[in-house]
Coordinates of all heavy atoms in Angstrom, one line a residue:
Chain B
Y60 N -42.6 15.1 -32.3 CA -42.1 16.2 -31.5 C -42.4 16.0 -30.0 O -41.6 16.5 -29.2 CB -42.8 17.5 -32.0 CG -42.3 17.9 -33.4 CD1 -43.2 18.0 -34.5 CD2 -41.0 18.1 -33.7 CE1 -42.8 18.3 -35.8 CE2 -40.5 18.5 -35.0 CZ -41.4 18.6 -36.0 OH -41.0 18.9 -37.3
S125 N -45.2 20.1 -26.5 CA -44.1 19.6 -27.3 C -43.3 20.8 -27.7 O -43.3 21.3 -28.8 CB -44.6 18.9 -28.5 OG -45.4 17.8 -28.2
V132 N -39.2 30.4 -25.6 CA -40.3 31.4 -25.9 C -40.1 32.0 -27.3 O -39.0 32.1 -27.7 CB -40.4 32.5 -24.8 CG1 -40.5 31.8 -23.4 CG2 -39.2 33.3 -24.8
E172 N -8.9 12.9 7.5 CA -7.7 13.7 7.8 C -7.2 14.3 6.5 O -7.2 13.6 5.4 CB -6.6 12.7 8.3 CG -5.7 13.2 9.3 CD -4.5 12.2 9.5 OE1 -4.8 11.0 9.5 OE2 -3.4 12.6 9.6
S174 N -7.0 16.6 3.0 CA -7.9 17.1 2.0 C -8.9 16.0 1.6 O -8.5 14.8 1.6 CB -7.1 17.6 0.8 OG -6.2 18.5 1.2
P176 N -10.9 13.4 -0.7 CA -10.5 12.6 -1.8 C -10.7 13.4 -3.1 O -11.7 14.2 -3.2 CB -11.3 11.3 -1.7 CG -11.8 11.3 -0.4 CD -11.9 12.7 0.1
L177 N -9.9 13.1 -4.1 CA -10.1 13.7 -5.4 C -11.5 13.5 -6.0 O -12.1 14.3 -6.6 CB -9.0 13.2 -6.4 CG -9.0 13.9 -7.8 CD1 -8.7 15.4 -7.7 CD2 -8.0 13.2 -8.7
V178 N -12.0 12.3 -5.8 CA -13.3 11.9 -6.4 C -14.4 12.8 -5.7 O -15.3 13.3 -6.4 CB -13.6 10.4 -6.2 CG1 -15.1 10.1 -6.5 CG2 -12.7 9.6 -7.0
Y213 N -45.1 39.3 -21.7 CA -44.1 38.8 -22.7 C -42.8 38.5 -22.0 O -42.4 39.2 -21.1 CB -43.9 39.9 -23.8 CG -43.2 39.4 -25.0 CD1 -43.8 38.6 -25.9 CD2 -41.9 39.8 -25.2 CE1 -43.1 38.1 -27.0 CE2 -41.2 39.3 -26.4 CZ -41.8 38.5 -27.2 OH -41.1 38.0 -28.3
D215 N -38.9 38.2 -23.3 CA -38.0 38.5 -24.5 C -37.3 37.2 -24.9 O -36.6 36.5 -24.1 CB -37.0 39.6 -24.1 CG -36.1 39.9 -25.2 OD1 -35.1 39.2 -25.5 OD2 -36.4 40.9 -25.9
S216 N -37.4 36.9 -26.2 CA -36.9 35.6 -26.6 C -35.3 35.5 -26.5 O -34.8 34.4 -26.3 CB -37.4 35.3 -28.0 OG -37.0 36.3 -28.9
K220 N -33.0 33.0 -24.0 CA -31.9 32.1 -24.4 C -30.7 32.4 -23.6 O -30.0 31.4 -23.2 CB -31.6 32.3 -25.9 CG -32.6 31.6 -26.8 CD -32.1 31.6 -28.2 CE -31.2 30.4 -28.5 NZ -31.0 30.2 -29.9
K258 N -2.0 18.1 -7.2 CA -2.0 19.5 -7.6 C -2.6 19.7 -9.0 O -3.4 20.5 -9.3 CB -0.6 20.1 -7.5 CG -0.5 21.5 -8.1 CD 0.8 22.2 -7.7 CE 2.0 21.7 -8.2 NZ 3.2 22.5 -7.7
V281 N -25.0 32.6 -33.1 CA -25.6 33.2 -34.3 C -26.9 33.9 -34.0 O -27.8 33.9 -34.8 CB -25.8 32.1 -35.4 CG1 -24.4 31.6 -35.9 CG2 -26.6 30.9 -34.9
E282 N -26.9 34.5 -32.9 CA -28.1 35.2 -32.5 C -27.9 36.7 -32.9 O -26.8 37.2 -33.1 CB -28.3 35.3 -31.0 CG -28.3 33.9 -30.3 CD -29.4 33.0 -30.8 OE1 -30.6 33.5 -30.6 OE2 -29.2 31.9 -31.3
M306 N -8.3 18.5 -21.1 CA -7.2 17.8 -21.7 C -6.2 17.2 -20.6 O -5.7 16.2 -20.8 CB -6.4 18.8 -22.6 CG -7.2 19.0 -23.9 SD -6.4 20.2 -25.0 CE -5.0 19.3 -25.6
T311 N -4.2 12.6 -17.2 CA -4.0 12.1 -15.8 C -4.7 10.8 -15.4 O -4.2 10.0 -14.7 CB -4.3 13.2 -14.7 OG1 -5.7 13.6 -14.9 CG2 -3.4 14.4 -14.9
E367 N -16.5 30.5 -32.6 CA -17.5 31.5 -33.0 C -17.9 31.5 -34.4 O -19.1 31.4 -34.7 CB -17.0 32.9 -32.7 CG -18.1 34.0 -32.8 CD -17.5 35.4 -33.3 OE1 -16.3 35.6 -33.3 OE2 -18.4 36.1 -33.8
Q368 N -17.0 31.5 -35.3 CA -17.3 31.5 -36.7 C -17.7 30.2 -37.3 O -18.6 30.1 -38.2 CB -16.2 32.1 -37.6 CG -15.9 33.6 -37.2 CD -14.7 33.7 -36.2 OE1 -14.5 32.8 -35.4 NE2 -14.1 34.9 -36.2
L371 N -21.4 29.0 -37.6 CA -22.2 29.3 -38.8 C -22.6 28.1 -39.6 O -23.6 28.1 -40.2 CB -21.5 30.4 -39.6 CG -21.6 31.8 -39.2 CD1 -20.5 32.7 -39.9 CD2 -23.0 32.4 -39.4
I372 N -21.6 27.2 -39.8 CA -21.9 26.1 -40.7 C -22.4 24.9 -39.9 O -22.6 23.8 -40.4 CB -20.7 25.7 -41.5 CG1 -19.4 25.4 -40.6 CG2 -20.4 26.7 -42.6 CD1 -18.3 24.9 -41.4
H374 N -24.7 25.4 -36.6 CA -25.8 25.7 -35.7 C -27.1 25.1 -36.1 O -27.6 25.2 -37.3 CB -26.0 27.2 -35.6 CG -27.2 27.6 -34.8 ND1 -27.3 27.5 -33.5 CD2 -28.4 28.2 -35.2 CE1 -28.5 28.0 -33.0 NE2 -29.2 28.4 -34.1
N375 N -27.8 24.4 -35.2 CA -29.1 23.8 -35.4 C -29.1 22.7 -36.5 O -30.2 22.2 -36.9 CB -30.2 24.8 -35.7 CG -30.8 25.3 -34.4 OD1 -30.5 24.8 -33.3 ND2 -31.7 26.2 -34.5
S444 N -31.1 19.2 -40.8 CA -31.5 19.9 -39.7 C -31.8 19.1 -38.4 O -32.2 17.9 -38.6 CB -32.8 20.7 -40.1 OG -33.5 21.2 -39.0
R446 N -34.2 18.4 -34.9 CA -35.5 18.6 -34.5 C -36.5 18.7 -35.7 O -37.4 19.6 -35.7 CB -35.6 19.8 -33.6 CG -34.9 19.7 -32.3 CD -34.8 21.1 -31.6 NE -34.5 20.9 -30.2 CZ -34.3 21.8 -29.3 NH1 -34.4 23.1 -29.7 NH2 -34.0 21.6 -28.1
S455 N -44.2 20.2 -48.1 CA -44.0 21.6 -48.3 C -44.5 22.1 -49.7 O -44.6 21.2 -50.6 CB -42.4 21.9 -48.3 OG -41.9 21.4 -47.1
T458 N -39.6 22.6 -53.0 CA -38.8 21.3 -52.8 C -37.3 21.7 -52.5 O -36.8 22.7 -53.0 CB -38.8 20.4 -54.0 OG1 -38.3 21.2 -55.1 CG2 -40.2 20.0 -54.3
E512 N -4.1 9.0 2.8 CA -2.8 8.7 2.3 C -1.9 9.9 2.2 O -2.4 11.0 2.0 CB -2.9 8.1 0.9 CG -3.4 6.7 0.9 CD -3.7 6.2 -0.6 OE1 -3.5 7.0 -1.5 OE2 -4.1 5.1 -0.7
A524 N 7.3 9.1 -16.9 CA 6.8 8.0 -16.1 C 5.7 7.2 -16.8 O 5.5 6.0 -16.6 CB 6.2 8.5 -14.8
W547 N -12.1 25.0 -40.5 CA -11.9 26.4 -40.9 C -11.8 26.4 -42.4 O -12.3 27.3 -43.1 CB -10.6 26.9 -40.3 CG -10.7 27.4 -38.9 CD1 -10.3 26.7 -37.8 CD2 -11.4 28.6 -38.4 NE1 -10.6 27.5 -36.7 CE2 -11.3 28.6 -37.0 CE3 -12.0 29.7 -39.1 CZ2 -11.8 29.6 -36.2 CZ3 -12.5 30.7 -38.3 CH2 -12.4 30.7 -36.9
L550 N -15.3 26.3 -43.7 CA -15.9 27.6 -43.5 C -15.5 28.6 -44.6 O -16.3 29.4 -45.1 CB -15.6 28.2 -42.1 CG -16.1 29.6 -41.9 CD1 -17.6 29.6 -41.6 CD2 -15.4 30.3 -40.6
I553 N -17.7 28.9 -47.9 CA -19.1 29.3 -48.0 C -19.1 30.8 -48.4 O -18.1 31.4 -48.7 CB -19.9 29.1 -46.7 CG1 -19.4 30.0 -45.6 CG2 -19.9 27.7 -46.3 CD1 -20.3 30.1 -44.4
I555 N -19.3 34.8 -48.6 CA -18.6 35.8 -47.8 C -19.6 36.5 -46.9 O -20.7 37.0 -47.4 CB -17.9 36.9 -48.7 CG1 -16.9 36.1 -49.6 CG2 -17.3 38.0 -47.9 CD1 -16.3 37.0 -50.7
L556 N -19.4 36.5 -45.6 CA -20.3 37.1 -44.6 C -19.6 38.1 -43.8 O -18.4 37.9 -43.3 CB -20.9 36.0 -43.7 CG -21.7 34.9 -44.5 CD1 -21.9 33.7 -43.5 CD2 -23.0 35.4 -45.0
S557 N -20.2 39.2 -43.5 CA -19.6 40.2 -42.6 C -20.7 41.0 -41.8 O -21.8 41.1 -42.3 CB -18.7 41.1 -43.3 OG -19.4 41.8 -44.3
Chain C
M1 N -4.9 6.8 -3.5 CA -6.0 6.6 -4.5 C -7.0 7.8 -4.4 O -7.2 8.3 -3.4 CB -6.7 5.3 -4.2 CG -5.9 4.1 -4.4 SD -6.9 2.7 -4.4 CE -7.5 2.7 -2.7
A2 N -7.7 7.9 -5.5 CA -8.6 9.1 -5.6 C -9.8 9.0 -4.7 O -10.6 9.9 -4.6 CB -9.0 9.3 -7.0
P5 N -8.8 10.3 1.4 CA -8.3 11.6 1.6 C -6.8 11.6 1.4 O -6.1 10.6 1.5 CB -8.7 11.9 3.1 CG -9.7 10.9 3.4 CD -9.5 9.7 2.6
I6 N -6.3 12.8 1.2 CA -4.8 13.0 1.0 C -4.3 13.9 2.1 O -4.7 15.0 2.4 CB -4.6 13.7 -0.3 CG1 -5.1 12.8 -1.5 CG2 -3.1 14.0 -0.5 CD1 -4.3 11.5 -1.7
K7 N -3.2 13.4 2.8 CA -2.6 14.1 3.9 C -1.4 14.9 3.3 O -0.9 14.7 2.3 CB -2.0 13.1 4.9 CG -3.0 12.4 5.7 CD -2.4 11.7 6.9 CE -1.6 10.5 6.4 NZ -1.3 9.5 7.5
W10 N 0.3 18.5 -0.3 CA 0.3 17.9 -1.7 C 0.6 18.9 -2.8 O 1.1 18.6 -3.8 CB -0.9 17.1 -2.0 CG -2.2 17.7 -1.6 CD1 -2.9 17.6 -0.5 CD2 -2.9 18.7 -2.4 NE1 -4.0 18.4 -0.5 CE2 -4.1 19.1 -1.6 CE3 -2.7 19.3 -3.6 CZ2 -5.0 20.0 -2.1 CZ3 -3.7 20.2 -4.1 CH2 -4.8 20.6 -3.3
W11 N 0.3 20.2 -2.4 CA 0.5 21.2 -3.4 C 2.0 21.4 -3.8 O 2.4 21.8 -4.9 CB 0.0 22.6 -2.9 CG 0.1 23.6 -4.0 CD1 1.1 24.6 -4.1 CD2 -0.8 23.9 -5.1 NE1 0.8 25.4 -5.2 CE2 -0.3 25.0 -5.8 CE3 -2.0 23.3 -5.5 CZ2 -0.9 25.5 -6.9 CZ3 -2.6 23.8 -6.6 CH2 -2.1 24.9 -7.3
E16 N 5.3 15.5 -12.2 CA 6.0 14.6 -13.0 C 6.2 15.1 -14.5 O 5.3 15.8 -14.9 CB 5.3 13.2 -13.0 CG 6.0 12.1 -13.6 CD 5.6 11.9 -15.1 OE1 4.4 12.2 -15.4 OE2 6.5 11.6 -15.9
E19 N 3.4 14.9 -17.2 CA 2.3 15.8 -17.0 C 2.7 17.3 -17.3 O 1.9 18.0 -17.9 CB 1.7 15.7 -15.5 CG 1.1 14.3 -15.3 CD 0.2 14.3 -14.1 OE1 0.4 15.1 -13.1 OE2 -0.7 13.4 -14.0
W22 N 2.8 17.8 -21.0 CA 1.4 17.8 -21.6 C 0.7 19.1 -21.2 O 0.0 19.7 -22.1 CB 0.6 16.6 -21.1 CG -0.8 16.6 -21.6 CD1 -1.9 16.7 -20.9 CD2 -1.2 16.4 -23.0 NE1 -3.0 16.6 -21.7 CE2 -2.6 16.4 -23.0 CE3 -0.5 16.3 -24.2 CZ2 -3.3 16.3 -24.2 CZ3 -1.2 16.1 -25.4 CH2 -2.6 16.1 -25.4
M36 N -7.4 32.1 -32.9 CA -8.0 31.9 -34.3 C -9.2 32.7 -34.5 O -9.5 33.2 -35.6 CB -8.4 30.4 -34.4 CG -7.3 29.5 -35.0 SD -6.6 30.1 -36.6 CE -8.0 29.9 -37.7
M37 N -10.0 32.9 -33.4 CA -11.3 33.6 -33.6 C -11.1 35.1 -33.9 O -11.6 35.6 -34.9 CB -12.2 33.4 -32.4 CG -12.7 32.0 -32.3 SD -13.9 31.7 -31.0 CE -12.9 31.6 -29.6
W40 N -9.5 35.4 -37.4 CA -10.5 35.3 -38.5 C -11.3 36.6 -38.7 O -11.7 36.9 -39.8 CB -11.4 34.1 -38.3 CG -12.0 33.6 -39.5 CD1 -13.3 33.9 -40.0 CD2 -11.4 32.8 -40.6 NE1 -13.5 33.3 -41.2 CE2 -12.4 32.6 -41.6 CE3 -10.2 32.3 -40.7 CZ2 -12.1 31.9 -42.7 CZ3 -9.9 31.5 -41.9 CH2 -10.9 31.4 -42.9
H41 N -11.6 37.3 -37.5 CA -12.3 38.5 -37.7 C -11.4 39.5 -38.5 O -12.0 40.3 -39.2 CB -12.5 39.1 -36.3 CG -13.8 38.7 -35.7 ND1 -15.1 39.2 -36.1 CD2 -14.1 37.7 -34.8 CE1 -16.0 38.6 -35.4 NE2 -15.5 37.7 -34.6
N45 N -13.1 35.7 -44.1 CA -14.2 36.2 -44.9 C -15.6 35.8 -44.4 O -16.6 36.1 -45.0 CB -14.1 35.8 -46.4 CG -13.1 36.6 -47.1 OD1 -12.8 37.8 -46.8 ND2 -12.4 36.0 -48.0
Q46 N -15.6 35.1 -43.3 CA -16.9 34.6 -42.8 C -17.0 35.0 -41.3 O -16.4 34.4 -40.4 CB -17.0 33.1 -42.9 CG -17.2 32.6 -44.3 CD -15.9 32.5 -45.1 OE1 -14.9 32.6 -44.5 NE2 -16.0 32.5 -46.4
N47 N -17.6 36.1 -41.1 CA -17.9 36.6 -39.7 C -19.3 37.1 -39.6 O -19.8 37.8 -40.5 CB -16.9 37.7 -39.4 CG -15.5 37.3 -39.2 OD1 -15.2 36.6 -38.3 ND2 -14.7 37.6 -40.2
Q123 N -39.4 31.8 -32.7 CA -38.0 31.7 -33.2 C -38.0 30.7 -34.4 O -38.7 29.7 -34.4 CB -37.0 31.2 -32.1 CG -36.9 32.2 -31.0 CD -35.8 31.8 -30.1 OE1 -34.7 31.5 -30.5 NE2 -36.1 31.9 -28.8
N132 N -25.0 25.7 -46.3 CA -25.0 25.4 -44.9 C -24.7 26.6 -44.0 O -23.8 26.5 -43.1 CB -24.0 24.2 -44.6 CG -24.4 23.4 -43.4 OD1 -25.5 23.6 -42.8 ND2 -23.6 22.4 -43.1
N134 N -26.2 29.0 -41.2 CA -27.2 28.8 -40.2 C -27.3 30.0 -39.3 O -26.3 30.3 -38.6 CB -27.0 27.5 -39.5 CG -26.9 26.3 -40.4 OD1 -28.0 25.9 -40.9 ND2 -25.7 25.9 -40.7
Q136 N -29.9 32.3 -36.4 CA -31.1 32.3 -35.6 C -32.0 33.5 -35.8 O -31.4 34.6 -35.9 CB -30.8 32.2 -34.1 CG -31.9 31.9 -33.2 CD -32.2 30.4 -33.2 OE1 -31.7 29.6 -33.9 NE2 -33.1 30.0 -32.3
H138 N -35.2 35.8 -34.5 CA -36.1 36.0 -33.4 C -37.2 37.0 -33.8 O -37.0 37.9 -34.6 CB -35.3 36.7 -32.3 CG -34.4 35.8 -31.5 ND1 -34.7 35.4 -30.2 CD2 -33.2 35.3 -31.8 CE1 -33.8 34.6 -29.8 NE2 -32.8 34.5 -30.7
Y140 N -39.3 40.4 -32.9 CA -38.9 41.6 -32.2 C -37.4 42.0 -32.3 O -37.0 43.0 -31.7 CB -39.3 41.6 -30.7 CG -40.8 41.6 -30.5 CD1 -41.5 40.4 -30.3 CD2 -41.5 42.8 -30.5 CE1 -42.9 40.4 -30.2 CE2 -42.9 42.8 -30.3 CZ -43.6 41.6 -30.2 OH -44.9 41.6 -30.0
Y141 N -36.7 41.3 -33.1 CA -35.3 41.6 -33.4 C -35.1 41.5 -34.9 O -35.4 40.6 -35.6 CB -34.3 40.7 -32.7 CG -34.2 40.9 -31.2 CD1 -35.0 40.1 -30.4 CD2 -33.4 41.9 -30.7 CE1 -34.9 40.4 -29.0 CE2 -33.4 42.2 -29.3 CZ -34.1 41.4 -28.5 OH -34.1 41.6 -27.1
M143 N -32.2 41.3 -37.6 CA -30.7 41.1 -37.7 C -30.4 41.5 -39.1 O -31.1 41.3 -40.1 CB -30.3 39.7 -37.5 CG -28.8 39.5 -37.5 SD -28.3 37.8 -37.8 CE -28.5 37.1 -36.2
N146 N -24.2 41.2 -43.9 CA -23.8 41.3 -45.3 C -23.4 40.0 -45.8 O -22.8 39.2 -45.1 CB -22.5 42.2 -45.4 CG -22.8 43.7 -45.1 OD1 -23.6 44.3 -45.8 ND2 -22.3 44.2 -44.0
A147 N -23.9 39.7 -47.0 CA -23.6 38.4 -47.6 C -23.3 38.6 -49.1 O -23.9 39.3 -49.8 CB -24.8 37.4 -47.5
T148 N -22.2 37.9 -49.5 CA -21.9 37.8 -51.0 C -21.9 36.4 -51.4 O -21.0 35.6 -51.0 CB -20.5 38.4 -51.2 OG1 -20.4 39.7 -50.7 CG2 -20.2 38.4 -52.7
Y155 N -30.9 27.6 -54.1 CA -30.7 27.3 -52.7 C -32.1 27.0 -52.0 O -33.1 27.7 -52.3 CB -30.0 28.4 -52.0 CG -28.6 28.6 -52.4 CD1 -28.3 29.3 -53.5 CD2 -27.5 28.0 -51.7 CE1 -27.0 29.5 -53.9 CE2 -26.2 28.2 -52.1 CZ -25.9 28.9 -53.2 OH -24.6 29.1 -53.6
N160 N -34.4 25.5 -39.3 CA -33.8 24.5 -38.4 C -34.0 24.9 -36.9 O -33.3 24.4 -36.1 CB -32.4 24.1 -38.8 CG -31.4 25.2 -38.7 OD1 -31.7 26.3 -38.2 ND2 -30.2 25.0 -39.1
E161 N -34.9 25.7 -36.6 CA -35.3 25.9 -35.2 C -36.8 25.5 -35.1 O -37.6 26.0 -35.7 CB -35.2 27.4 -34.8 CG -35.5 27.6 -33.3 CD -34.7 26.8 -32.4 OE1 -33.5 27.0 -32.2 OE2 -35.2 25.8 -31.7
Y162 N -37.0 24.5 -34.2 CA -38.4 24.0 -34.0 C -39.4 25.1 -33.7 O -39.2 25.9 -32.8 CB -38.4 23.0 -32.9 CG -39.7 22.5 -32.5 CD1 -40.4 21.6 -33.4 CD2 -40.4 22.8 -31.3 CE1 -41.7 21.2 -33.1 CE2 -41.7 22.4 -31.0 CZ -42.3 21.6 -31.9 OH -43.6 21.1 -31.6
H167 N -43.3 22.8 -38.5 CA -41.9 23.2 -38.7 C -41.2 22.5 -39.9 O -40.5 23.2 -40.7 CB -41.2 22.7 -37.4 CG -39.7 22.7 -37.4 ND1 -38.9 23.8 -37.8 CD2 -38.8 21.7 -37.2 CE1 -37.6 23.5 -37.7 NE2 -37.5 22.2 -37.3
H168 N -41.5 21.3 -40.1 CA -40.8 20.5 -41.2 C -41.4 20.9 -42.6 O -40.9 20.4 -43.6 CB -40.9 19.0 -40.9 CG -42.3 18.6 -40.6 ND1 -42.8 18.6 -39.3 CD2 -43.3 18.2 -41.4 CE1 -44.1 18.2 -39.3 NE2 -44.4 18.0 -40.6
T169 N -42.5 21.7 -42.6 CA -43.0 22.0 -44.0 C -42.4 23.4 -44.4 O -42.6 23.9 -45.5 CB -44.5 22.2 -43.9 OG1 -44.9 23.3 -43.1 CG2 -45.2 20.9 -43.4
K173 N -36.9 29.5 -50.7 CA -36.0 29.3 -51.8 C -35.2 30.6 -52.0 O -35.7 31.7 -51.7 CB -36.8 29.0 -53.1 CG -36.1 27.9 -53.9 CD -36.8 27.5 -55.1 CE -37.3 26.1 -55.2 NZ -36.3 25.1 -54.8

Side-chain angles (χ1 to χ4, degrees):
Chain B
Y60 292 121
S125 300
V132 302
E172 215 191 320
S174 303
L177 183 63
V178 172
Y213 193 72
D215 183 280
S216 58
K220 282 190 87 167
K258 169 161 75 177
V281 293
E282 308 297 304
M306 287 178 70
T311 56
E367 191 214 341
Q368 295 96 334
L371 279 165
I372 54 175
H374 172 71
N375 271 358
S444 161
R446 295 170 161 176
S455 306
T458 59
E512 287 172 356
W547 282 103
L550 177 72
I553 67 168
I555 296 170
L556 298 169
S557 61
Chain C
M1 294 194 292
I6 297 292
K7 291 190 291 200
W10 46 264
W11 184 265
E16 187 270 325
E19 295 199 333
W22 180 245
M36 269 306 292
M37 291 186 282
W40 199 260
H41 272 279
N45 285 327
Q46 288 81 16
N47 290 288
Q123 292 188 49
N132 211 3
N134 303 283
Q136 193 79 354
H138 284 255
Y140 292 93
Y141 287 96
M143 186 200 282
N146 292 295
T148 304
Y155 292 82
N160 65 8
E161 181 58 71
Y162 174 69
H167 167 56
H168 47 273
T169 67
K173 221 176 244 312

